[in-house]
Amino acid sequence: MSDQPLGPGGPARPGEPVRTTGEPVRTNGAQELAAAREATLRPTEKGSAKLADQNKLYVRERIAQLVDEGTFVEDGQLANALADGLPADGVVTGRGLVDGRPVLVVANDPTVKAGSWGARTVEKIVRVTEVALRDELPIFWLVDSAGARITDQVELFPGRRGAGRIFANQVALSGKVAQICCLFGPSAAGGAYIPSFCDLVIMVESNASMYLGSPRMAEMVVGEKVSLSEMGGARMHTTVSGCGDLLAADDEEAIELAREYFSYLPATWRDQPPEFDARPPARPFTADLVPAQDSAGYDMHVLLDALLDADSFFEVKPLYAAELVVGFGCLEGQVVGIVANNPAVRGGVLFVDSADKAARFIWLCDAFNVPLVYLADVPGFMIGSEVERQGIIRAGAKMITAVADATVPTVSVIVRKAYGAGLYAMCGPGFSPDACIALPTAKIAVMGPEAAINAVYYNRIAQIEDPQERAAYVERLRSEYEHDIDILRLAADLVIDAIVEPADLRAEIVARLAAAQTKDRRTPDKRRGVPPM
């Protein structure tokens, strides 16, 4: 079978009619050409009413909000023009500028057969990904699609230029250029893989959904009765599965978030991130921001307000595995990636989901030359049969692999404590950060004092009958243990590189990152690692 599609996207076989999903237009005069173009520019009355009912923007309104005014150049506008009711074959593709930088756009039109894919749809998308690979251009995916048209499955599904080629090209693009997805409606069946291969997925609440099988199919095949929101709704994916990164209230907010996210990244993997005007932090970093007691909770976002340039933090996956905070921010105008434990949520303990979240963000930063700053206040990884069955060891190894593989300038800060493998996961000294520094009250140990004393001296403590004598004994053991892990001793033994006062922490991180700009980022000679997944 020819790789070229039939009809306008390629020649029909001699003697065969053009295959379409609607009735073919029999004439090709100027009037018909004008009508074909006009049909691609605005929705039908019925389509417009449906968009309004769902609080959605028309596909071209979405593109107009995304790209700089007057910069969009469309390709394949007349795809499937000989078919009735399939303007542009349900997808708008082309180039434009976002904040003056060239990008590619793929945008489904949900008013055309629910944004479903036909053979020309797939060909248009394949061509965009080929341009992205050739010219190293970022892609914005504006997704709102019910999936493939079964009537076109032979032409769009199995071939070398079928739908699988889209995903293969997305994989090839990963780490070369940004792939950003705004999910405005459904992304069904195989089409759900387009968001999954993107670096960022923004989902519009109440409208967006992702699923391999619909609720009706789930009931038919596995006997499960489930609603669409439970199966693959935006809130589920941004809080439970982690397949979505950000939750937006409407189309406009989703597009604005996509533009903001892109502003932190370079155009390609070959470039450095953009630079911004430096701004002072929103508040001073004072000693009282971090409670002295190990187990006391506090919100790590407060510390970020005191470290980063004011209003510069862009959090990724804020609703998912919130015990770990990741996102982009600026230090004196320089973009950095933040990986920070959050003691306000589950004590900042690392779980399977937070380890996965960290690993992917670290890989993202390393791919696009974004320096990393770790802020460690971590009791370690969660323990217990439930997390063991979920694969906490595998997930922890995955995060530690990402930490070890990263080659960008890196500073690790021990904010209050780093216990057990939590030290390793937050880029402790053994992982060769460009600097591992600590606040004066920080602690590094295999485990916290209470856990250590109970692990070693439990039987002896239990044998002491007098409560006061027992309490005094435990306090003496605790004092000895804390003396053993004193941060000054660790600095004296060259375990950490510096002890920094809170008021000086921001300037110290900035200086350390600046000093690391000349580091050698070459990786060891091998085909690839085999990370635990």
Side-chain angles (χ1 to χ4, degrees):
M1 183 181 289
S2 169
D3 285 342
Q4 283 191 294
L6 305 181
R13 297 186 185 88
E16 286 190 1
V18 174
R19 187 181 189 278
T20 67
T21 55
E23 290 297 318
V25 178
R26 300 300 181 186
T27 59
N28 290 307
Q31 185 176 355
E32 288 75 22
L33 176 59
R37 286 179 176 150
E38 182 67 18
T40 69
L41 297 179
R42 53 190 50 83
T44 62
E45 192 172 313
K46 181 180 177 181
S48 182
K50 188 173 181 180
L51 291 174
D53 184 60
Q54 296 176 326
N55 192 31
K56 288 183 176 182
L57 297 175
Y58 179 49
V59 61
R60 294 186 182 276
E61 293 175 319
R62 291 169 176 169
I63 294 172
Q65 290 215 4
L66 173 66
V67 302
D68 301 347
E69 186 176 357
T71 65
F72 186 65
V73 178
E74 186 173 354
D75 296 317
Q77 183 181 3
L78 296 177
N80 227 355
L82 298 183
D84 183 31
L86 291 171
D89 211 30
V91 67
V92 179
T93 61
R95 303 180 186 226
L97 301 179
V98 173
D99 287 336
R101 296 193 290 171
V103 303
L104 296 165
V105 179
V106 176
N108 301 118
D109 184 348
T111 69
V112 178
K113 301 287 185 184
S116 60
W117 292 6
R120 315 304 193 286
T121 318
V122 169
E123 176 63 20
K124 288 174 71 172
I125 298 173
V126 168
R127 291 184 186 188
V128 169
T129 58
E130 289 173 340
V131 172
L133 284 167
R134 183 193 69 205
D135 296 348
E136 293 193 346
L137 291 175
I139 302 184
F140 283 83
W141 300 86
L142 309 185
V143 177
D144 196 340
S145 170
R149 297 175 207 147
I150 300 299
T151 53
D152 281 20
Q153 65 174 313
V154 174
E155 287 81 6
L156 71 83
F157 175 66
R160 288 182 177 271
R161 294 188 71 78
R165 194 68 201 165
I166 298 171
F167 309 140
N169 287 348
Q170 280 191 276
V171 172
L173 284 167
S174 179
K176 284 181 174 287
V177 296
Q179 298 185 78
I180 302 168
C181 175
C182 291
L183 189 47
F184 302 108
S187 184
Y193 286 108
I194 279 184
S196 71
F197 288 120
C198 289
D199 305 325
L200 186 82
V201 179
I202 304 164
M203 302 184 72
V204 176
E205 189 158 24
S206 300
N207 281 337
S209 60
M210 263 191 293
Y211 50 86
L212 297 183
S214 68
R216 183 172 61 182
M217 183 178 293
E219 184 173 359
M220 290 173 58
V221 177
V222 299
E224 180 186 15
K225 290 188 176 182
V226 62
S227 69
L228 178 59
S229 61
E230 292 170 327
M231 171 72 80
R235 185 162 288 275
M236 187 285 287
H237 277 309
T238 53
T239 60
V240 179
S241 77
C243 292
D245 295 295
L246 297 171
L247 192 64
D250 51 30
D251 290 11
E252 290 91 342
E253 184 183 13
I255 294 167
E256 183 56 38
L257 286 170
R259 287 177 59 97
E260 186 178 355
Y261 171 86
F262 182 55
S263 71
Y264 289 90
L265 295 177
T268 79
W269 67 283
R270 303 177 191 277
D271 305 322
Q272 294 301 310
E275 293 185 1
F276 300 90
D277 293 334
R279 286 181 291 186
R283 61 183 302 162
F285 199 128
T286 53
D288 62 318
L289 296 185
V290 182
Q293 187 179 350
D294 282 1
S295 58
Y298 66 92
D299 191 346
M300 182 58 73
H301 294 90
V302 175
L303 269 64
L304 294 176
D305 284 344
L307 276 179
L308 299 172
D309 295 8
D311 300 320
S312 71
F313 188 55
F314 185 95
E315 188 167 358
V316 177
K317 291 188 186 295
L319 303 179
Y320 177 74
E323 65 273 9
L324 188 83
V325 176
V326 301
F328 298 113
C330 291
L331 284 168
E332 295 292 346
Q334 179 188 5
V335 176
V336 297
I338 297 292
V339 180
N341 310 113
N342 190 6
V345 181
R346 302 203 281 190
V349 176
L350 291 166
F351 286 76
V352 171
D353 289 345
S354 41
D356 285 345
K357 172 179 174 178
R360 192 155 196 270
F361 184 75
I362 293 164
W363 282 326
L364 174 72
C365 290
D366 198 46
F368 293 112
N369 309 314
V370 178
L372 283 161
V373 176
Y374 294 84
L375 300 174
D377 193 341
V378 58
F381 284 90
M382 188 60 185
I383 60 172
S385 62
E386 183 178 354
V387 290
E388 293 294 357
R389 290 175 182 179
Q390 293 171 354
I392 188 71
I393 297 171
R394 166 195 54 76
K398 177 180 176 181
M399 179 178 177
I400 291 170
T401 297
V403 170
D405 280 348
T407 62
V408 289
T410 300
V411 174
S412 178
V413 181
I414 313 302
V415 175
R416 184 172 59 172
K417 62 184 179 296
Y419 293 154
L423 174 67
Y424 301 158
M426 297 302 289
C427 201
F431 291 82
S432 301
D434 295 288
C436 183
I437 59 181
L439 294 180
T441 53
K443 299 172 185 174
I444 296 175
V446 171
M447 60 183 72
E450 287 81 6
I453 291 167
N454 274 288
V456 178
Y457 299 102
Y458 176 81
N459 290 331
R460 188 177 300 180
I461 292 171
Q463 291 170 359
I464 301 175
E465 296 181 0
D466 180 74
Q468 290 185 332
E469 183 182 349
R470 187 189 311 121
Y473 180 64
V474 169
E475 182 57 34
R476 179 167 63 81
L477 292 175
R478 179 187 176 91
S479 178
E480 291 172 356
Y481 186 84
E482 292 198 349
H483 175 75
D484 198 44
I485 62 171
D486 179 68
I487 198 69
L488 180 57
R489 175 183 174 179
L490 296 181
D493 289 343
L494 301 181
V495 173
I496 61 170
D497 296 301
I499 300 173
V500 183
E501 296 298 326
D504 300 326
L505 183 59
R506 172 181 158 94
E508 182 77 13
I509 296 172
V510 170
R512 296 282 184 172
L513 290 176
Q517 289 301 310
T518 57
K519 72 182 295 184
D520 184 353
R521 294 191 61 195
R522 287 174 296 182
T523 54
D525 290 335
K526 59 181 177 181
R527 294 201 182 280
R528 61 171 302 128
V530 186
M533 299 301 290

